Amino acid sequence: MPPHYTFAPRIKLPPAPFRKTISQKQSLMQKQPEQSRMDKIVSLAKRRGFIFQSSEIYGGLNGFWDYGPLGVALKRNLKECWWHDMLTGHDELATLPGAPTPYEMTGLDCTIIMHPQVWKCSGHFDLFHDWLVDCRESKRRYRYDHLKGRWASHREKRVFVVTEQSGDEALVETAAKAQKFFGLRANKSSEIEWAKAMVPLAGNAPFAEALGPDAASPGTLTEPREFNLMFETRIGALAGNDDDRAFLRPETAQGIFMNFKNVVDTSRVRVPFGIGQIGKSFRNEITPRNFTFRSREFEQMEIEFFCKPNDSAAWYRFWRDRRWNWYLNLGLTPGRLQLREHDADELSHYSVGTADIEYAFPFLPDGEFGELEGIAHRGDFDLRSHMEGKLVRRDGELVVETDDAGKPRHRGSGKDLSYFDDISRERFVPHVIEPSAGADRAVLAFLCDAYHEDEVPDEDGKPRSRTVLKLHPRLAPLKVAILPLVKKDGMPEVAIDLYRKLKPQMATMYDEKGSIGRRYARQDEAGTPWCITVDGQTLADTTVTLRDRDSLTQVRVPLDECVDLLRSRLA
Ligand code: ATP
C-alpha cells in the first residue's frame, strides 16, 4: 500500500468524493434530470459553437478541448473580467472592505517551459503525482483515489464491488455488478446482503477480493503505482540526456515566483502587492472527465499576493472573500456555490488557511460540489524553496531536504528573494496568498448556471419552448443583435447604420435571415442579452424595439440613444 499523501506543496489533498458523505438515500428520480441537463448543455455547447472536442475528425483526443466562435468570445470575456477586476481596474489608493491596507496589483506573462530546477525545488518533480490502478482484465486505468465500493455477500461468497461512480450511480452500478457476479436473476437480487457504507477502495478491501469496475472476476486490479502528472518534453535538436529534460508547467504560479525579484527591482511596487497571470497549464490527468472540468490542457488565472508575515492571516481572509464575491457578482447562483474551508488536517503545516470555492456542477450527484478555485495561504514556502532548495518539514520546521551525503536533494537558486521595506527598515521573506482559479472550469460553471429552458410567446402569441443562456452581459459572447423586421422598406439600411455605430463599442451582430421569432431564438441560445428590432414604426418616429433576453420586455427606444443606453448597461 503506498503512503497516502505525504507532504506535498500543492498536491491534491484527500480527493473530493471521499470528503463527502455519499448519500444512499438520494432518489434516482432526482438525479436523472440533472444528468440530462448536463447532456443538453454539452450538446448546446457543440451545436452553437462554444466547445468542440479537439481533433474531432480523427476521433478526438481525450482531455483536450477547443473553443469555437462563441466559446472563445465567452472565455476571453471571462479572462478579461478577471484581469480587469483583479488587476487593471483595481483602485490602488483605496482600502477595500476587509483589506488591512491599500495594495498594488500588476501582471506577468511567462513561459510554459521553465528551467527544470523550478519543478524540482517547488516539489512537483518528486510529489506532483496521482496513484493509478490498472485492470489486467479490461486493460482500463483508474485513479486509485476515485475508486470506491461496498461489500456484497450471497450465501458463502463475498466480494468488494468497485466503482468509479458517485452517489446513486455508484449504488446502481454496484448492485447490477453484484447480481451478475453471483449469477442471480433480477427477482433474486434482494438475497444479496450489503455492507451499508460505500467506502474508498484504499484501505478497505484486499485487492484479491476487489471486483474492478469493468472486470468480470475479482483480483484483476493491480497494486497502485505512482504517476507524475507533469508532461515531459526535451529541449534542443540533440536532446537525449537527462539534462535536456523539461516539463510543460502544471500551474502558472511558479513563473510568478521566478519573476518576483524582477518585478520588485524593475517596477515601483511595494509589499503588499500581487502579481497576476493567465495562461495555459498542462496535467497528464489519469482520467480526464466531465466535459472540460478535468482536462489535460487548460488555462489558469492565478495571483500570488506578497505581504508581511504578520498581516498574512488578514490578507488570506480578504482574498477568500474577494474571490467569492467575484463569482457572485458575475451572476453564479448563490445556492449552487459553496465556500469550503479546509479542515485543519487538510492544511499544509505552514498554512493558516485554505479554502475552495466550489460549484454544484450538474454532472455531480446532488449535494456534491466541484472545485472552481482554491485560495491558499502559502506562508514563505515558495520563495524560500527557490532560494534555499526543496524544503521538507522536520520537527515542525521547514528545512532543506538533503540526500544521503547530506547535500541538498534539489539545490535552490541561491538568489536572495527577501524584500527590504525601506520605510520600516525591515528585511523579510514575504508570505504569499494564492487565489488560483481555472478559466475553463469557470466557463463551464457559468455555462451550466446560465442554461435555462422556459416558454415564450411566438409571433402569434402561442407559447413556444426556448433554450436560453442567461449569461451576465459582461460575459455574453455577443452583447446585442440588430434585426430588421423585414428585408425591405428601408429597414435593413437603418439597421445596418445602427450596427455600424454599435460594432466599434461592443460585440454586435447583424441578422436579417429568417423569421423574427427564429432570430430571437438564435440569440437566446447564444446568450445575447439584448436584441434591437428595426420595424415600420422606426421609419415613422425613429424609435426601435429593445428586447431584453431575461425579462422578455420590449421597450421603444429612440434610435440615436441606443449606443449610450447599451454602453451604460454594460458599464
Ligand atoms: P482538482 O483537485 O480538481 O484536481 P486541484 O486542487 O489540483 O484541482 P489546483 O492545483 O488548486 O487544482 O489548481 C487551481 C485551479 O486550476 C483549480 O481550482 C481548477 O479550477 C483548475 N484546474 C486544476 N486542474 C484542472 C484540470 N485538470 N482541468 C481543468 N482545470 C483544472
Side-chain angles (χ1 to χ4, degrees), residues 12 283 285 293-295 298 300 371-372 436 438 441:
K12 293 171 203 74
R283 294 182 189 179
E285 299 280 359
F293 180 83
R294 188 171 300 289
S295 309
F298 55 96
Q300 290 184 307
E371 178 181 327
L372 270 184
S436 169
R441 280 197 194 168

Side-chain angles (χ1 to χ4, degrees), residues 20-313:
K20 288 152 191 143
T21 322
I22 298 166
S23 160
Q24 304 199 352
K25 293 188 202 117
Q26 285 162 342
S27 133
L28 284 174
M29 298 309 290
Q30 271 174 356
K31 183 60 202 155
Q32 278 159 357
E34 277 296 273
Q35 191 54 51
S36 70
R37 183 179 152 80
M38 193 61 214
D39 294 341
K40 287 181 191 169
I41 292 165
V42 172
S43 137
L44 174 81
K46 168 149 198 217
R47 181 161 43 83
R48 292 310 313 269
F50 280 94
I51 300 173
F52 306 121
Q53 176 141 48
S54 163
S55 327
E56 199 177 359
I57 60 168
Y58 287 105
L61 192 58
N62 200 8
F64 296 88
W65 299 93
D66 296 337
Y67 287 79
L70 288 177
V72 70
L74 170 59
K75 191 170 172 188
R76 284 181 73 102
N77 291 344
L78 178 107
K79 291 187 289 181
E80 184 47 40
C81 284
W82 184 92
W83 192 261
H84 173 270
D85 298 348
M86 297 300 115
L87 274 69
T88 53
H90 167 61
D91 180 349
E92 303 190 329
L93 307 177
T95 304
L96 299 188
T101 61
Y103 64 91
E104 295 174 81
M105 291 297 294
T106 187
L108 189 71
D109 186 21
C110 70
T111 59
I112 283 168
I113 295 177
M114 289 183 262
H115 196 292
Q117 202 64 14
V118 171
W119 306 110
K120 292 184 175 161
C121 289
S122 70
H124 286 82
F125 184 79
D126 291 339
L127 300 164
F128 193 60
H129 52 237
D130 279 334
W131 295 96
L132 67 83
V133 166
D134 286 309
C135 176
R136 281 183 286 261
E137 185 187 317
S138 67
K139 308 291 176 226
R140 297 242 356 233
R141 179 163 279 181
Y142 311 97
R143 245 178 81 169
Y144 185 40
D145 59 7
H146 283 175
L147 294 179
K148 60 189 88 59
R150 49 182 183 147
W151 285 104
S153 28
H154 183 251
R155 310 231 160 108
E156 300 305 299
K157 271 168 98 179
R158 74 167 201 158
V159 69
F160 186 80
V161 191
V162 181
T163 177
E164 278 189 293
Q165 306 289 346
S166 302
D168 293 322
E169 280 90 346
L171 297 178
V172 172
E173 188 180 284
T174 47
K177 288 212 66 183
Q179 188 193 320
K180 200 162 169 200
F181 175 75
F182 294 122
L184 298 172
R185 288 175 189 278
N187 60 357
K188 298 278 182 201
S189 59
S190 56
E191 291 178 9
I192 301 173
E193 285 176 37
W194 290 98
K196 283 214 171 41
M198 187 74 72
V199 289
L201 170 63
N204 284 304
F207 275 60
E209 289 182 73
L211 177 62
D214 300 283
S217 40
T220 64
L221 295 179
T222 61
E223 285 292 323
R225 282 185 292 136
E226 252 180 272
F227 176 75
N228 195 298
L229 300 183
M230 285 198 292
F231 277 99
E232 237 182 271
T233 187
R234 301 260 166 196
I235 298 176
L238 293 175
N241 64 44
D242 243 23
D243 294 344
D244 307 317
R245 244 171 121 195
F247 304 93
L248 306 192
R249 67 180 177 203
E251 61 172 33
T252 60
Q254 295 303 322
I256 300 181
F257 298 123
M258 288 306 100
N259 286 287
F260 168 73
K261 193 168 158 46
N262 287 336
V263 172
V264 169
D265 289 350
T266 57
S267 63
R268 292 174 58 209
V269 289
R270 299 175 45 80
V271 167
F273 73 94
I275 303 178
Q277 172 165 229
I278 298 179
K280 290 270 187 177
S281 291
F282 301 82
R283 294 182 189 179
N284 202 358
E285 299 280 359
I286 295 170
T287 47
R289 58 170 60 192
N290 291 329
F291 203 23
T292 56
F293 180 83
R294 188 171 300 289
S295 309
R296 289 178 165 141
E297 174 175 342
F298 55 96
E299 267 183 286
Q300 290 184 307
M301 311 183 290
E302 295 196 292
I303 293 170
E304 304 303 323
F305 187 80
F306 302 95
C307 57
K308 279 189 178 173
N310 284 346
D311 298 339
S312 60

